[in-house]
Amino acid sequence: MAAQEQVKWEGKATAKLNGIGAEQVWPLLEDFCSLDKWLPAIDTCYRVEGINGQPGLVRYCACKPPSSTSSPSDDFDDDDEENKNPGMTKWCHEKLLAIDPVVRCLSYEVLDNNLGFKSYVATIKLLPAKGDDDKFGCQIEWSFLADPVEGMTCDVLSSYLNLSLQGMVENMERALHSN
């Protein structure tokens, strides 16, 4: 029996920011190394190499596992026994592939990681919520294409992305409304 060719996983999540224009949100997204300010699960995010705002920039992102309850990020374990340790920090290096401030879109790929990703490329787009008028707000669309991750399903990864994006939008709304 011939080995089956593995299918790539694809997913997309969207979240709306009500009454906040894309021109207010884009500076938060284009700062590629500020993910820890917006994404609830990320404890640290910083530049490893490259120039801020330029393709080739590499960031390091990490999160500490929850102390007593499990979360979707607990599913990001690969086969390496040291990563089965529930107290281990989960981390990845991510490389900015493209960024377009006019279209308000960026793409990145996961490089080295202990999450089990062999290939993961994501695109984040900032779109008007309704028509081209910012008074209705905007929405973030986060899509991905990835090789299957052992011990996980595409649905679990998509759910994690959706929950993460919802938390990110809440944090951005809170920050922008307090200014």
Side-chain angles (χ1 to χ4, degrees):
M1 177 187 238
Q4 285 187 340
E5 183 179 322
Q6 284 196 327
V7 177
K8 292 271 190 184
W9 288 352
E10 288 185 74
K12 183 184 342 181
T14 58
K16 184 176 178 182
L17 291 101
N18 293 308
I20 300 173
E23 78 285 345
Q24 294 173 280
V25 178
W26 177 247
L28 308 181
L29 288 175
E30 78 173 332
D31 183 358
F32 191 63
C33 298
S34 70
L35 196 60
D36 56 330
K37 293 178 184 174
W38 314 119
L39 202 59
I42 302 297
D43 296 312
T44 187
C45 180
Y46 58 82
R47 184 178 67 83
V48 173
E49 64 182 50
I51 300 168
N52 287 333
Q54 299 295 313
L57 175 67
V58 176
R59 69 184 175 194
Y60 170 83
C61 298
C63 65
K64 296 176 190 142
S67 56
S68 61
T69 60
S70 65
S71 72
S73 67
D74 291 339
D75 294 319
F76 290 107
D77 286 331
D78 66 9
D79 279 3
D80 191 21
E81 282 306 310
E82 69 184 54
N83 292 332
K84 298 296 183 187
N85 179 349
M88 182 165 200
T89 297
K90 299 185 187 310
W91 61 271
C92 66
H93 287 108
E94 298 175 337
K95 181 179 182 179
L96 183 61
L97 299 175
I99 186 165
D100 186 335
V102 175
V103 180
R104 297 182 178 127
C105 173
L106 64 85
S107 295
Y108 69 93
E109 69 177 325
V110 172
L111 303 173
D112 299 333
N113 69 89
N114 70 350
L115 307 171
F117 290 110
K118 305 297 182 219
S119 171
Y120 176 96
V121 176
T123 300
I124 299 175
K125 297 178 184 178
L126 191 55
L127 305 166
K130 185 176 183 182
D132 291 325
D133 192 343
D134 275 346
K135 74 179 180 180
F136 293 109
C138 61
Q139 70 178 12
I140 298 172
E141 178 185 282
W142 193 338
S143 60
F144 70 86
L145 182 65
D147 284 341
V149 178
E150 190 170 330
M152 185 186 303
T153 66
C154 185
D155 287 342
V156 167
L157 181 56
S158 294
S159 288
Y160 177 75
L161 180 67
N162 187 51
L163 287 171
S164 296
L165 183 56
Q166 298 304 320
M168 187 165 132
V169 163
E170 288 172 16
N171 288 339
M172 288 178 166
E173 285 178 331
R174 194 175 305 114
L176 291 169
H177 284 306
S178 68
N179 289 339

